[in-house]
Amino acid sequence: MELTPIAHIETDFLTKFGIPRQSGLVKGLRGRVIFEKEYRDPEALRGLEGFSHIWLLWDFSEARREGGKWQPTVRPPRLGGNRRMGVWATRSPFRPNNIGLSSVRITAIRLHTPDGPVIEVEGADMMNGTPIFDIKPYLPFTDCRPDATGGFAEEKNRVTEPLRVNLSDELQAAFDEGRLEALRGILSADPRPHYHSDASRVYALEFAGKEVKFRVAGNEVQAWISGAC
């Protein structure tokens, strides 16, 4: 069986570090779903304008393991990377089939662009260029389950306690307000590996063509643009 990408997504993340661990966590993150040439038919999007959200099924293209090896247990970041859980109880990218699932909000549908039909979205947790296998509408009457339970993902840990974010003046001047809002959301969710807690350590993430450096002390994150500290 073969899966053929129908599209790819453009985002502000050129590397994996800093990408939110779930879709929708940082609502201000922008993305553009661009179809491959053979799927650039506006008729395929007829009726989609009536939906507010869509599901994206995509390829964990940067998480492939040599030889296709897999492990039955993984260390979820939600648990600080210290406890193992069964792979089927997680959304880890390291699985037998590297398929991701994201729910994103549609902000615009542009049928006639130089790239063909384009879906503009918010809240994607994907790296720039990620291949997309399929798109399905989000149906509130069946996809939303208010009585659902979240298992170990609901356990209290630092990822559920947003950090206070302080951005340098140079950093604030480097981005428009929309990207600044998204960057604050990324940093407030603490993008560090969960086993890191060194307050003196400086991290760097690439966002929208800039290298953003930051350090975390207690419940506060200080961030600046590379070379401007």
Side-chain angles (χ1 to χ4, degrees):
M1 183 180 70
E2 293 185 4
L3 289 175
T4 301
I6 62 162
H8 66 276
I9 192 167
E10 288 185 352
T11 71
D12 286 326
F13 289 103
L14 299 182
T15 63
K16 293 185 291 183
F17 183 62
I19 296 177
R21 295 181 175 93
Q22 300 292 340
S23 60
L25 287 180
V26 181
K27 296 179 175 57
L29 280 176
R30 307 169 186 172
R32 298 174 73 239
V33 176
I34 299 176
F35 291 88
E36 305 305 327
K37 288 184 179 180
E38 59 266 44
Y39 300 105
R40 293 181 179 178
D41 188 337
E43 286 295 295
L45 281 76
R46 183 189 297 181
L48 191 61
E49 70 278 358
F51 296 90
S52 64
H53 293 69
I54 51 177
W55 291 105
L56 301 178
L57 280 78
W58 47 278
D59 182 14
F60 278 112
S61 53
E62 298 299 310
R64 298 190 178 278
R65 289 183 170 175
E66 188 175 348
K69 295 181 180 179
W70 74 287
Q71 294 181 331
T73 62
V74 295
R75 299 178 185 269
R78 190 77 174 182
L79 300 179
N82 299 317
R83 292 164 54 190
R84 284 193 171 274
M85 291 289 172
V87 66
W88 311 136
T90 76
R91 296 188 177 185
S92 168
F94 301 107
R95 25 195 351 107
N97 295 306
N98 300 72
I99 297 175
L101 176 69
S102 297
S103 173
V104 297
R105 187 174 78 87
I106 299 172
T107 58
I109 298 175
R110 307 195 186 281
L111 297 180
H112 304 288
T113 81
D115 296 316
V118 170
I119 307 174
E120 296 180 4
V121 299
E122 283 187 345
D125 54 342
M126 303 154 71
M127 197 170 78
N128 184 61
T130 295
I132 296 173
F133 292 133
D134 201 5
I135 298 170
K136 299 180 186 294
Y138 180 96
L139 304 177
F141 68 89
T142 185
D143 293 345
C144 180
R145 304 283 183 168
D147 58 339
T149 58
F152 67 82
E154 294 184 338
E155 293 184 17
K156 184 178 178 63
N157 59 76
R158 82 180 188 200
V159 81
T160 64
E161 300 172 353
L163 300 174
R164 293 192 301 273
V165 178
N166 293 310
L167 306 179
S168 71
D169 291 341
E170 293 84 359
L171 181 52
Q172 293 186 61
F175 297 114
D176 59 50
E177 189 53 44
R179 285 195 168 97
L180 282 176
E181 178 187 358
L183 182 60
R184 290 188 184 98
I186 294 164
L187 295 172
S188 70
D190 197 348
R192 299 176 298 166
H194 281 250
Y195 49 85
H196 287 189
S197 59
D198 184 356
S200 64
R201 183 164 181 169
V202 174
Y203 298 85
L205 64 86
E206 291 188 45
F207 179 72
K210 304 288 186 181
E211 185 178 59
V212 177
K213 292 191 173 181
F214 68 94
R215 64 166 61 93
V216 179
N219 195 42
E220 188 168 311
V221 56
Q222 299 281 347
W224 63 93
I225 202 83
S226 182
C229 182

